[in-house]
Amino acid sequence: MAYPYRVYEELRREAPVSYFEPTGQWLISRHADVNALLRDRRLGRSYLHVAGHEEFGRPAEPEFQEPFWRVIRAGMLDVEPPVHTRLRRLVSKAFTPRMVESLRPRVRAMAGELVDAYVEKGGGDLIAEVAEPLPVTVIAEMLGIPDGDRHLLRPWSADICGMYELNPTLEAQHTAVRAATEFSDYLKALAADRRANPGDDLVSALTQIGELTEDELVGTCVLLLNAGHEATVNVTGNGWWSLFRNPAELARLRADRSLLPTAVEELMRWDTPLQMFERWVLEDIEVHGVRIPRGSEVALLFGSANRDPEVFADPDRLDVGRADNPHISFGAGIHFCLGAPLARIELAESFGALLDRTSKLELREEPEWKPGYVIRGLHALNLTATPA
Ligand code: HEM
């Protein structure tokens, strides 16, 4: 959708809780409500730990999807406590702010190399040449995926994400299942190898944890590889596109590089890369006097929460120096993004390298949005780069 923000404005004002017939979901559009429901344990990312499909009035998934859900449901994002608590504890050791900060020099060097090559050619598609390779390489290196196999990751991840759009086509579903199966087979083979010959990487470290089942190990790696780049790519593309539409803010950032950290947060707020997350209602709840019964599904509209005037002064204005910015793009509560410190480093380093190494970046053509609403990103962003 080119610009969902007008619709959100009306929802927040007129109907902060509204039932949306086409998807059978309750839409929640205000920041305070989205934030509170993300933290509310009466809701869950899954219901399968407390009830079956039948009790929640949902059809069981078609059998052909089993290999897909087996992988996805073994990752921490799709489980609830106590399994979530255990998985998150095991994996979070690799993502402490200190551990992640130690990666900064490597991220900076990689961003520098990618941007040098890009500027040397006079520019090109920023998404394919800088936005994608940076986070894909960082997370692949962390996990220890061999260099020669990295080209496989992006297509697998993109195909898997196809299942998360509203009403995916049958073809998209089959493509997602095939990708999950191939990815999973690949990781099982890699883990077997690392179990025997451990290296200094996350896959090796995970194979040494006796508590982790093989499905959990594979599910964790798939989650880290997908979550570890998909949104970062889109924030880079959407972020530059936002700056081109607000040239005074781009000029302000060029003139004062100390604004980089607030600019990254603001770009994530202003054009939200993951527009919506869903939750299942495990016990009846009430929001603004509306009772939402157990078994319902709520759609938390992150893109709307991030433009809520109750929380953000002048919310439709892009302000790269915005100081008070409690945006919700990394979520909240127990599933708060594990990779947020890493994403922040990657974004600051890539925006910083592009600003440092160019005197000018110009749009060659109007970019096109990828289809789909939940994951918001551009197909390509073609630019002309003038070296600094
Ligand atoms: C700008 C980039 C990113 C954005 C906007 C983002 C956003 C999010 C959001 C909104 C959630 C919570 C979803 C929910 O509550 O339903 C989440 C969870 C997660 N993210 Fe990120 N993410 C980003 C980058 C990363 C990176 C770089 C990594 C890893 C290297 C990562 C790993 C994870 C993991 C493992 C979870 C699941 C946490 C849990 O269930 O406890 N993310 N992310």
Side-chain angles (χ1 to χ4, degrees):
M1 199 187 298
Y3 197 81
Y5 300 104
R6 287 276 162 275
V7 180
Y8 292 154
E9 196 180 302
E10 209 176 297
L11 279 175
R12 279 191 311 266
R13 205 180 45 236
E14 308 290 338
V17 186
S18 59
Y19 188 72
F20 187 57
E21 201 75 50
T23 59
Q25 292 171 322
W26 293 88
L27 308 183
I28 308 290
S29 49
R30 290 187 187 163
H31 187 285
D33 301 326
V34 171
N35 188 35
L37 293 181
L38 281 171
R39 296 162 193 274
D40 192 326
R41 298 292 303 284
R42 293 172 301 170
L43 294 93
R45 286 226 11 140
S46 170
Y47 53 79
L48 293 171
H49 58 306
V50 293
H53 292 302
E54 215 162 278
E55 193 188 335
F56 263 56
R58 304 283 148 177
E61 287 106 16
E63 198 150 333
F64 79 88
Q65 291 184 1
E66 195 275 339
F68 178 90
W69 293 112
R70 189 185 169 95
V71 172
I72 300 304
R73 294 215 172 106
M76 78 181 85
L77 185 55
D78 280 81
V79 290
E80 292 295 304
V83 180
H84 174 266
T85 323
R86 178 173 63 85
L87 285 179
R88 178 140 180 152
R89 180 174 48 81
L90 295 173
V91 181
S92 61
K93 288 181 191 142
F95 286 91
T96 59
R98 207 168 58 124
M99 274 290 297
V100 171
E101 194 52 46
S102 74
L103 298 174
R104 189 185 287 272
R106 177 76 189 115
V107 176
R108 179 167 297 169
M110 264 188 243
E113 275 170 36
L114 290 168
V115 172
D116 279 344
Y118 180 74
V119 173
E120 184 133 322
K121 292 196 316 166
D125 178 10
L126 187 77
I127 308 252
E129 290 170 49
V130 179
E132 274 180 11
L134 182 65
V136 172
T137 312
V138 170
I139 192 68
E141 272 190 9
M142 281 182 88
L143 281 149
I145 308 290
D147 267 357
D149 297 340
R150 290 190 189 152
H151 65 282
L152 298 166
L153 302 175
R154 183 70 193 145
W156 276 335
S157 169
D159 289 346
I160 286 174
C161 285
M163 192 78 100
Y164 293 112
E165 282 304 334
L166 299 171
N167 304 321
T169 62
L170 194 60
E171 193 194 338
Q173 295 173 36
H174 277 288
T175 304
V177 172
R178 184 166 15 87
T181 309
E182 288 175 12
F183 204 169
S184 162
D185 290 345
Y186 172 82
L187 286 165
K188 280 181 194 160
L190 184 71
D193 177 58
R194 294 299 153 77
R195 198 169 281 122
N197 311 294
D200 183 20
D201 57 69
L202 201 50
V203 170
S204 297
L206 293 172
T207 63
Q208 305 305 309
I209 300 172
E211 283 175 79
L212 220 53
T213 66
E214 186 177 50
D215 279 346
E216 286 171 349
L217 188 148
V218 169
T220 299
C221 293
V222 169
L223 172 65
L224 288 173
L225 284 162
N226 290 358
H229 77 277
E230 205 58 58
T232 319
V233 174
N234 291 331
V235 174
T236 313
N238 303 357
W240 276 100
W241 176 223
S242 303
L243 289 170
F244 290 126
R245 279 181 296 163
N246 293 271
E249 291 302 292
L250 175 54
R252 193 176 158 209
L253 184 58
R254 269 207 184 276
D256 180 1
R257 216 55 60 71
S258 73
L259 293 173
L260 211 46
T262 50
V264 165
E265 300 304 313
E266 177 69 345
L267 295 171
M268 289 189 58
R269 178 192 76 84
W270 198 72
D271 208 351
T272 308
L274 300 161
Q275 287 283 317
M276 176 197 87
F277 277 90
E278 292 152 342
R279 289 292 188 268
W280 293 101
V281 178
L282 309 176
E283 286 172 42
D284 296 1
I285 55 170
E286 206 179 287
V287 187
H288 298 294
V290 179
R291 185 176 154 273
I292 306 182
R294 173 181 159 94
S296 311
E297 198 178 19
V298 296
L300 306 173
L301 305 181
F302 283 26
S304 173
N306 279 342
R307 296 279 189 114
D308 189 337
E310 289 291 320
V311 176
F312 304 100
D314 205 355
D316 292 332
R317 184 174 156 238
L318 180 80
D319 171 4
V320 294
R322 191 180 287 274
D324 186 18
N325 189 352
H327 70 73
I328 206 123
S329 296
F330 285 123
I334 62 167
H335 292 287
F336 179 82
C337 179
L338 183 71
L342 179 60
R344 288 181 162 126
I345 289 175
E346 291 172 345
L347 291 166
E349 294 302 331
S350 93
F351 279 88
L354 279 157
L355 291 167
D356 283 346
R357 287 163 157 82
T358 60
S359 59
K360 207 177 196 190
L361 279 166
E362 281 168 303
L363 206 55
R364 282 186 190 159
E365 65 201 10
E366 207 56 15
E368 268 177 43
W369 292 102
K370 284 188 193 161
Y373 155 71
V374 179
I375 300 175
R376 181 167 169 80
L378 298 170
H379 272 299
L381 189 62
N382 276 307
L383 307 179
T384 300
T386 311

